[in-house]
């Protein structure tokens, strides 16, 4: 059978499948599904791998933790060397920075957000509202494990959900609220940590956090919302309560400082080869 030019090779797909089935480790799967890119491609391009993993995360949400683990393992791989230098996609190293993953994911993320909410995603059987909830859970998991820092996406999702115009109609509430809840459920501490962001005022972030929690608590009592959505909001409030019990926990902040330092060093290296 001829290879589909829009898909990874069968060998790469098998490596990912075996990892998802628990038959191999993340490290071995990462090596196997990138070996062709590493060894043979003149301009290494892992975007087909990225696209497959994004689709899997939405089609089969039970795989999300494994996909995050696989991407984290990919970041630990040595980068391809071309012309005596680490290969980069724009300024990003192929594997260490997950070259072009952020831009590719942004396109995927916004494609779902602005799709017709009565349709299905990319010909799949997953509805757009469910896809939106799942892709937000995935982005939050990526943030929580610092595979990528997608906290700003999370805040935007929450603000969209609590925008007055989106709270007026039940169909828009059912679209936006599960996604917002997932951001808090899976990335509560990282989002709370934005109060330490020098580009934001700490006081403002704390006020927003408290406003979100108050609105979630009110919506839990709204009988017009589905039981599933109210359940997700309850989980989000529970996650916010856990933050309130230990608001100064700094383990994620320490990892963030290391992540930012490594990424900045990579950018500086790209600018000053």
């Amino acid at each position: 059978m001829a290879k589909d030019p829009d898909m990874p090779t069968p060998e790469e797909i098998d490596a990912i499948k075996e990892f998802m089935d628990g038959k191999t480790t993340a490290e071995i799967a990462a090596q196997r599904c990138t070996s062709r890119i590493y060894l043979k491609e003149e301009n290494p391009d892992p975007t087909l791998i990225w696209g497959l993993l994004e689709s899997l995360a939405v089609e089969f949400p039970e795989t999300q933790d494994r996909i995050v683990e696989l991407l984290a393992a990919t970041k630990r791989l040595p980068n391809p060397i071309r012309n005596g230098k680490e290969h980069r996609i724009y300024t990003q190293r192929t594997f260490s920075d997950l070259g072009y993953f952020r831009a590719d994911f942004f396109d995927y993320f916004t494609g779902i957000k602005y799709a017709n909410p009565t349709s299905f995603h990319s010909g799949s059987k997953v509805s757009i509202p469910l896809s939106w909830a799942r892709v937000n859970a995935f982005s939050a998991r990526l943030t929580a494990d610092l595979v990528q820092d997608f906290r700003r996406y999370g805040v935007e999702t929450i603000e969209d959900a609590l925008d007055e115009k989106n709270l007026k109609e039940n169909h828009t509430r059912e679209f936006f609220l599960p996604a917002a809840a997932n951001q808090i459920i899976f990335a509560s501490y990282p989002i709370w940590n934005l109060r330490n962001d020098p580009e934001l005022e700490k006081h403002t972030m704390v006020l927003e956090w408290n406003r979100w929690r108050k609105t979630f608590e009110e919506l839990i009592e709204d009988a017009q919302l589905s039981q599933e959505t109210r359940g997700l909001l309850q989980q989000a409030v529970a996650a916010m309560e856990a933050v309130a019990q230990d608001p100064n926990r700094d383990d994620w902040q320490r990892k963030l400082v290391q992540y930012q330092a490594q990424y900045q060093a990579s950018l500086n290296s790209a600018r000053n080869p």
Side-chain angles (χ1 to χ4, degrees), residues 106-127:
F106 178 75
D107 288 345
Y108 187 77
F109 187 86
T110 54
I112 296 174
K113 178 178 179 179
Y114 294 112
N116 181 342
T118 63
S119 65
F120 292 84
H121 179 57
S122 299
S124 75
K125 296 181 180 179
V126 183
S127 70

Side-chain angles (χ1 to χ4, degrees), residues 26-42:
E27 287 70 22
I28 291 174
Q31 291 170 5
R32 286 178 57 199
C33 72
T34 60
S35 62
R36 173 186 56 85
I37 297 165
Y38 182 83
L39 295 171
K40 297 180 181 179
E41 288 194 358
E42 182 178 351

Side-chain angles (χ1 to χ4, degrees), residues 6-103:
D6 295 322
M7 287 288 289
T9 67
E11 293 78 13
E12 291 162 353
I13 293 172
D14 284 346
I16 294 169
K17 185 177 186 302
E18 286 181 18
F19 173 64
M20 295 301 165
D21 292 341
K23 296 178 180 178
T24 189
T25 65
E27 287 70 22
I28 291 174
Q31 291 170 5
R32 286 178 57 199
C33 72
T34 60
S35 62
R36 173 186 56 85
I37 297 165
Y38 182 83
L39 295 171
K40 297 180 181 179
E41 288 194 358
E42 182 178 351
N43 292 302
D45 181 1
T47 52
L48 293 181
I49 300 288
W50 305 159
L52 175 60
L53 295 178
E54 290 158 2
S55 295
L56 281 175
V58 169
E59 292 271 352
F60 306 101
E62 67 277 8
T63 67
Q64 288 187 5
D65 283 337
R66 300 285 279 174
I67 294 170
V68 170
E69 186 181 351
L70 180 60
L71 286 168
T74 302
K75 290 182 71 171
R76 295 190 291 270
L77 294 174
N79 293 297
I81 304 298
R82 299 294 185 268
N83 300 318
K85 300 177 184 177
E86 286 185 317
H87 179 265
R88 293 176 182 269
I89 302 176
Y90 298 106
T91 60
Q92 299 171 331
R93 293 172 297 180
T94 310
F95 297 142
S96 300
D97 302 325
L98 297 183
Y100 206 68
F101 179 84
R102 188 178 191 88

